Amino acid sequence: MAAGPGISPKAPGSPLAAMRSARNYPHLVARDLGLDLVDVTYSGATTAHVLTDSQHGEPPQVEALDGSEALVTVTIGGNDVGYVPMLCAAALPAPLRWLPPLRGMRDPAARRRDLRAVAEKLVRVGSEIRRRAPRARVMFVDYLTLLPPHGTASPLSPRDVDLGREIAAELERLTAAAAGTTGCGVVRAAEASRAHHAWSARPWTTLPSRFPVPIPGHTAPLHPNADGMRAVADLMVSECGVAEFRA
């Protein structure tokens, strides 16, 4: 959600598997605030990839911190709970949705177990970033709203839409709670994008696809589009203030 898969152009020198855009919100914020950028966003990352685990040969993302940072931003947690994979599985043709692996992605009990577990993981992320970057302003950025607040969202079933809304609401709550617990700030992208969900007239995110994998030249399904990334960057700059970083 922070990497910007499919938003062209690709960030120069970034790993192909990261699907990292040169127009994701970290790049836009750095440009607006006049900051040098170290961007380690990586598509598919979990809290473990932020804290302890290698991802496709890349070190844990916190290893990029050296204590000189003025601003650190982080969007994480959705992959821990299978948020977008669940919605992508739900958008597949009906016979495929019930294949065992895909049915498991759509299991409410499994998603709720993962949500309970991610609360502590988000706190660990905030605490570790604060420890490694003690002089930085640390900002959690929650997830842009994907689903309409009310009604249906074809081709998703009402059951899957309800589960998706539940996951989104809990991720939003847990992100804010982790930020508060660890002394970090929070950019409330979910709240700002209620009217810009993927099914809206002016979406900041993309609709699901019957082929829920990134297609070259196209923004990834159920991910921010260029307008969404610009909106998140504007929220960040408004929250932080240009003067703070250009003084």
Side-chain angles (χ1 to χ4, degrees), residues 80-83 86 104-116 163 167:
D80 291 69
V81 301
Y83 177 33
M86 172 260 158
M105 291 181 187
R106 299 166 55 237
D107 176 22
R111 301 288 66 78
R112 289 167 187 146
R113 283 195 302 271
D114 291 340
L115 281 166
R116 288 193 294 272
L163 178 57
I167 294 169

Side-chain angles (χ1 to χ4, degrees), residues 146 197-199 203-209 218-226:
L146 295 176
H197 58 82
W199 282 260
W204 289 352
T205 51
T206 55
L207 287 165
S209 167
H218 297 270
T219 307
L222 293 167
H223 276 71
N225 59 25

